Amino acid sequence: PVASSATEAPAREGDKVFDNTAATYTPPCDALSNTASRAATMAPVSSSVQRRRHREHREHTRRQILAAADRQLRDRPYRELSVETVMTDAGLTRTAFYRHFEDVPDLVLRLLEDVGRELYEIAQKWRRGSAEDFPAAAREGLRGIVAFFERHGPLVAAVAEAAVTDERIESGYQGFLEVFITLTERGFEGMVQRGQVEPFPTRAVARALNLMNERFLLDQLGRKPRGEPADVLATIETIWLRSVGAVEP
């Protein structure tokens, strides 16, 4: 072995210095300084940030699954929908599906709830606007509803078809319709109380108009061949405005 001496060349900048007794790597001073600087800029991520990132990741995955189910239901009937077809479309595993949804009916109902928020906002806007000008608010609201069914008609049609054979989806879909019937009824009641219209059976008329909307819009915009949106709008406008006549000044 080569004997060491006090005259050995000192360690150069960047050289590793190995301490045989401690069996640890001791970097030169400059490397220690650089490591300390990096450590200062790589502080541990806080638990709140980690939780936020985890929530964002879960929501992103949930959205991927919902989007895949949406695509599937626009192109095929509900009876052909399965966990396998949805997750293959999403590019995710079956395990990921069950972290977010109980089964296929649960997925379909969550999807209906998701797109239904858009329709609910349209209905709420109509209700607020009808306090000042029912015909104008009705026309604007019905335009929004027709536009909604242009975008989502095939999806709503698939859910309505699924409701025929699946009790859970039937219950959820009926509840979905009842929300809009009740909201319309309350809008009509407010108009009667303000003297905007003559008294009429608000609940019955609200139910009739909403069920008519649902059947007619699905018939025209739910499946191919699709109707002409302008004709669909003109038809339901005529029915709504003639069903609820304004008080003569």
Side-chain angles (χ1 to χ4, degrees), residues 158-211:
V159 178
E161 291 163 5
V164 175
T165 58
D166 188 288
E167 291 184 0
R168 284 170 59 197
I169 295 179
E170 177 187 17
S171 176
Y173 187 64
Q174 289 301 320
F176 173 77
L177 294 177
E178 287 296 331
V179 166
F180 295 98
I181 292 170
T182 300
L183 190 150
T184 304
E185 177 191 15
R186 290 174 179 171
F188 286 164
E189 287 176 346
M191 291 164 60
V192 170
Q193 292 169 4
R194 291 186 295 270
Q196 291 174 270
V197 294
E198 297 289 354
F200 66 96
T202 55
R203 179 69 181 178
V205 173
R207 175 171 289 277
L209 289 175
N210 276 277
L211 294 180

Side-chain angles (χ1 to χ4, degrees), residues 4-58:
S4 62
S5 72
T7 59
E8 278 185 352
R12 291 169 298 178
E13 181 179 338
D15 283 350
K16 292 183 179 180
V17 179
F18 194 80
D19 179 354
N20 287 317
T21 58
T24 57
Y25 164 56
T26 306
C29 293
D30 285 349
L32 281 171
S33 177
N34 291 338
T35 301
S37 297
R38 286 195 298 271
T41 59
M42 296 175 62
V45 178
S46 69
S47 58
S48 62
V49 171
Q50 289 178 333
R51 287 194 298 271
R52 177 176 58 80
R53 289 177 179 173
H54 179 67
R55 286 194 302 269
E56 290 173 351
H57 177 70
R58 281 184 58 84

Side-chain angles (χ1 to χ4, degrees), residues 83 88 109 123 241 244:
V83 174
T88 297
L109 289 172
L241 294 177
V244 185

